[in-house]
Amino acid sequence: VSISKTDILAINSQAIADRNSGNTVINASTGVFLNEDRKLGSVKLISDALETHITDKLSYSNVYGDEDYLSSVMTFIFKKREKELSSLYYPFIGSTLGGTGAISIAFHLFQDENESVLLPSIMWTNYMLIAKKASLTYKKYEMFTTEGTFNLQSVKETIEEAKKKHDRVLLVINDPCHNPTGYCMSEEEYDGLFSLLDEEGKDCNLTVLFDIAYIAFFHIPNRKCALIDKLLEKKHSFMPLIAFSCSKVFGLYGLRVGALIALPSDKDESEEIRRAFGAEARGTYSVPNGPVQHCIGEVLKDEKNLEELEDEINLNTMELARRSKVLLSSLEKNHIPHYPYSCGFFVSLKVKDANRIAEEMKKEHMYVVPIAEDT
């Protein structure tokens, strides 16, 4: 499927134009959380901080990002386990223009031109465009087995195929709340994945980018996302990267704030990543969004806010869980097949001739995203 046909923002623009012309529109194209009155969902603590602190720091920020923001993001992601992290790795974190910016910088820094990035067969299609702009090719691993579980064997085969051609291998894992299926790997699947990655990383330069844009919306009773525990379990033979986004978790979609985290086990390598990150930032967008980072840092650095913040985010997560239950019930009732869904923003239907169906739906003022010819 061509990238233009799957460009979420372009499809969203069409939907907005259709609505502005006076039509009643169903717009299922963008991954944003809307509340019940169809306004953009937000987190009050962050919104209040924007109103109070947005003009505090209007000068240029540090090329790597606001220090309070960066340290607070590490605490937010690793749940105050930074000491454990530092006992295993020499962590680097840099502020980026959203999660997309983190992925783009990772593709540029950790692969050379004409090397491959390994992507899931069902994916946020912008990965392909980012790879193209980084002068990379891409290979796809099958996302699911025939039983509807994560296809570890395909990941293994795709890594081994890439190793035969390239010195460096970059694998993308989008979990939890995979975009666009909503799938979440189980703890057993994470055990299998990390065992596989540690084995494959012994004889190649393997980097694994974990895209966790939707991690705050993980909501499965009696389960937790095992990613952070696995990263902190031991030093691994591959290089873990994390792409973090403030768009979904804090409702700051248009303000473009995120972070790229690298977890090298060597101090010199960490310093080289820092140098390369700074050069990439200076040579593209100069410096990240300082005022918004400052606002987020003001909230997150106050430990009293963290519990209230998590409560607010949890309310949004519960609302998504309620909506998904209604949708999945309707799909089942009408015998409409879909890919395995656990939680999160998206459900992907299994259809034939996705492009044609999407175009036909536009005629009825309904806007969806065709992920592939048959998705």
Side-chain angles (χ1 to χ4, degrees), residues 11 17 34 67 90 97-98 151 156 163 175 190 220 269 288 311 356:
I11 297 169
L34 303 179
E67 289 299 327
Y90 291 87
L97 303 187
N151 198 330
K156 177 181 175 66
K163 285 197 298 186
D175 191 87
Y190 264 109
I220 303 175
E269 188 174 18
D311 287 344
R356 180 187 63 80

Side-chain angles (χ1 to χ4, degrees), residues 123-354:
M123 71 177 102
W124 178 54
T125 55
N126 208 33
Y127 286 143
M128 294 185 287
L129 180 58
I130 297 169
K132 181 179 178 182
K133 293 299 182 182
S135 299
L136 304 178
T137 60
Y138 56 86
K139 300 180 185 297
K140 298 179 185 179
Y141 59 87
E142 286 299 320
M143 177 80 183
F144 295 113
T145 64
T146 54
E147 292 79 24
T149 57
F150 188 73
N151 198 330
L152 289 172
Q153 182 60 31
S154 183
V155 172
K156 177 181 175 66
E157 291 170 357
T158 309
I159 291 174
E160 292 183 348
E161 180 185 350
K163 285 197 298 186
K164 294 175 183 177
K165 299 179 180 179
H166 305 293
D167 295 330
R168 302 197 297 181
V169 178
L170 175 59
L171 170 71
V172 175
I173 300 291
N174 178 204
D175 191 87
C177 308
H178 171 259
N179 177 358
T181 67
Y183 186 76
C184 296
M185 286 195 289
S186 67
E187 291 186 42
E188 292 75 19
E189 285 173 322
Y190 264 109
D191 288 340
L193 175 64
F194 272 68
S195 177
L196 164 65
L197 297 177
D198 275 323
E199 189 62 32
E200 295 294 335
K202 290 177 180 177
D203 61 358
C204 77
N205 189 339
L206 175 61
T207 302
V208 183
L209 175 61
F210 295 96
D211 182 352
I212 64 166
Y214 298 91
I215 193 169
F217 295 93
F218 182 90
H219 178 78
I220 303 175
N222 303 315
R223 269 182 58 187
K224 65 175 181 176
C225 176
L227 173 59
I228 302 303
D229 285 343
K230 295 303 295 185
L231 289 172
L232 294 174
E233 185 178 64
K234 64 177 184 178
K235 187 181 294 185
H236 296 286
S237 66
F238 61 93
M239 164 89 76
L241 305 177
I242 294 174
F244 174 74
S245 172
C246 292
S247 298
K248 279 70 182 178
V249 63
F250 299 139
L252 301 178
Y253 307 92
L255 291 174
R256 312 312 302 138
V257 184
L260 176 66
I261 299 169
L263 301 177
S265 55
D266 179 82
K267 185 177 181 180
D268 290 340
E269 188 174 18
S270 183
E271 286 300 316
E272 176 59 21
I273 291 169
R274 178 178 176 82
R275 184 203 64 76
F277 180 98
E280 182 72 20
R282 288 295 292 147
T284 50
Y285 55 82
S286 181
V287 294
N289 188 327
V292 179
Q293 288 180 84
H294 171 65
C295 293
I296 297 170
E298 284 295 303
V299 174
L300 295 185
K301 73 180 183 181
D302 187 340
E303 197 167 318
K304 294 183 297 184
N305 289 332
L306 291 179
E307 186 174 341
E308 183 180 342
L309 191 69
E310 298 240 349
D311 287 344
E312 280 199 76
I313 293 169
N314 191 52
L315 287 175
N316 292 342
T317 303
M318 294 290 288
E319 177 59 23
L320 275 180
R322 183 191 68 79
R323 294 176 189 178
S324 66
K325 185 176 181 180
V326 173
L327 174 59
L328 293 174
S329 176
S330 180
L331 293 177
E332 182 178 345
K333 179 180 177 182
N334 290 283
H335 308 289
I336 299 174
H338 61 87
Y339 286 94
Y341 173 88
S342 305
C343 51
F345 279 47
F346 307 100
V347 174
S348 287
L349 308 183
K350 295 182 178 181
V351 302
K352 293 182 178 180
D353 200 357

